[in-house]
Amino acid sequence: MHARAQLMPALDALHPIAAHAADFSGEGAGAGLDLGIRTGFGDDRVRFGHVKVFLDGSLLGATAAVTEDYCGHEHNTGYLLDEPEVYRERALGAYRAGWALALHAIGDAAIDLALDLIAEAQERYGVREIPCRIEHFGIARPDQLVRAGALGIAVTPQAGFIGPIGDQMADQVGPERSAWLYRGRSVIDAGIVLAGSSDLPVADNNLRRGMQSAVDRRTDSGATLTASEAITPLEALQTHTEWAARATGQLAAKGTLERGKLADLTVFSGSPLTAPSIAELDIVATVVGGELSYDSRG
């Protein structure tokens, strides 16, 4: 299952396929690609990973599906991009055909639907080695943390958003919900796999800046977005190494430096565990397969 890169097809790219009676008990068509292509198909360079399922829109655009109005937008709770029953049929069909689910859900109403879909998929077709994910998990209520932990899923809140748009996000949801935004500490404590993500190309891919934001939770105005959600430098590093590998089903080959795993690594100018600012560390070199692929020293 290991690979240097994973491809994430959108759910819309899949099409109905005849279910194999032995696998699916004659339940009808699943959803997938031809030739048995599903999560895990490929080689050690490129493989298919999760299938991406877009449930709602964006927070700053006030289109993410929430259960309470956005501040200053009376009667606006965003929206789902399709009907829940349509998602249920198509997402469960994809899971049944061998695809792990990665559900884009920013608002808490969309997260409710994502959790419902994952719970039903796992109940009907079993829990897989590769965890289902919720991409963003942007406005997550306390009860949703408990449920996500019980389901054994992974989530990818973008800590890198906190600096450039943290103040605007807080303004959109107001003080009563700002503690729910792009969580860190409470996700880990709930037993959920917290995986790092830049959200490129929507945001820049400076993962060091995102790691620093996960630690200090500081917005560009100097405010702190929920200090209690801060994580340690070691945990911030794990979000992009060990825990990211777990969230993509690749921990057996990636995520930690151990004999027998892929010799892929990045050399920083200092330790992200002790540096005054992780964001200011330089990349000295990168190694792929035990060989230098970039060396700033020439």
Side-chain angles (χ1 to χ4, degrees):
M1 184 56 208
H2 61 277
R4 266 66 183 198
Q6 283 191 348
L7 303 177
M8 283 179 52
L11 184 64
D12 290 346
L14 275 54
H15 56 78
I17 57 175
H20 192 289
D23 293 333
F24 309 131
S25 302
E27 292 188 41
L33 299 175
D34 297 322
L35 302 176
I37 294 175
R38 63 187 70 184
T39 296
F41 180 88
D43 57 27
D44 65 358
R45 286 288 175 177
V46 180
R47 288 187 188 274
F48 279 103
H50 293 59
V51 64
K52 184 73 174 282
V53 184
F54 290 92
L55 298 185
D56 67 346
S58 72
L59 198 165
L60 292 190
T63 55
V66 294
T67 54
E68 298 181 29
D69 293 354
Y70 287 100
C71 291
H73 299 270
E74 188 175 0
H75 305 306
N76 178 15
T77 55
Y79 53 85
L80 296 172
L81 300 178
D82 214 324
E83 294 299 320
E85 189 55 36
V86 174
Y87 283 121
R88 181 177 176 275
E89 178 182 354
R90 300 196 63 207
L92 265 62
Y95 187 85
R96 179 153 45 92
W99 290 95
L101 302 176
L103 300 125
H104 166 112
I106 293 179
D108 63 322
I111 292 172
D112 279 334
L113 176 58
L115 292 170
D116 287 345
L117 293 171
I118 293 171
E120 184 171 357
Q122 294 183 168
E123 180 179 351
R124 292 176 64 126
Y125 308 117
V127 177
R128 308 268 173 79
E129 181 180 355
I130 302 172
C132 289
R133 295 200 308 261
I134 296 181
E135 311 291 73
H136 303 298
F137 205 64
I139 310 172
R141 303 188 311 266
D143 63 291
Q144 292 175 323
L145 292 170
V146 175
R147 192 177 182 204
L151 289 170
I153 69 170
V155 301
T156 64
Q158 286 70 31
F161 288 173
I162 294 171
I165 61 173
D167 295 314
Q168 297 96 309
M169 291 193 301
D171 288 343
Q172 282 284 56
V173 299
E176 293 184 356
R177 289 180 287 177
S178 62
W180 302 353
L181 290 170
Y182 289 84
R183 294 173 177 269
R185 172 86 272 136
S186 60
V187 169
I188 298 171
D189 291 347
I192 306 165
V193 178
L194 179 64
S197 167
S198 68
D199 206 33
L200 187 76
V202 176
D204 72 61
N205 64 342
N206 186 338
L207 303 183
R208 290 153 292 157
R209 180 178 63 77
M211 289 166 61
Q212 183 61 43
S213 292
V215 171
D216 62 31
R217 305 284 298 184
R218 189 171 298 123
T219 71
D220 284 355
S221 72
T224 300
L225 183 65
T226 316
S228 61
E229 289 292 346
I231 63 177
T232 69
L234 174 58
E235 290 167 335
L237 180 61
Q238 286 175 300
T239 64
H240 289 291
T241 54
E242 178 185 353
W243 298 344
R246 190 181 301 277
T248 55
Q250 302 185 91
L251 187 58
K254 299 173 69 173
T256 58
L257 294 176
E258 299 179 63
R259 184 182 296 274
K261 291 193 174 185
L262 294 174
D264 299 347
L265 55 99
T266 300
V267 181
F268 290 155
S269 58
S271 171
L273 305 184
T274 58
S277 174
I278 302 171
E280 295 179 7
L281 293 175
D282 293 323
I283 296 176
V284 177
T286 58
V287 177
V288 178
E291 298 182 359
L292 283 167
S293 56
Y294 165 76
D295 188 347
S296 66
R297 302 165 297 176

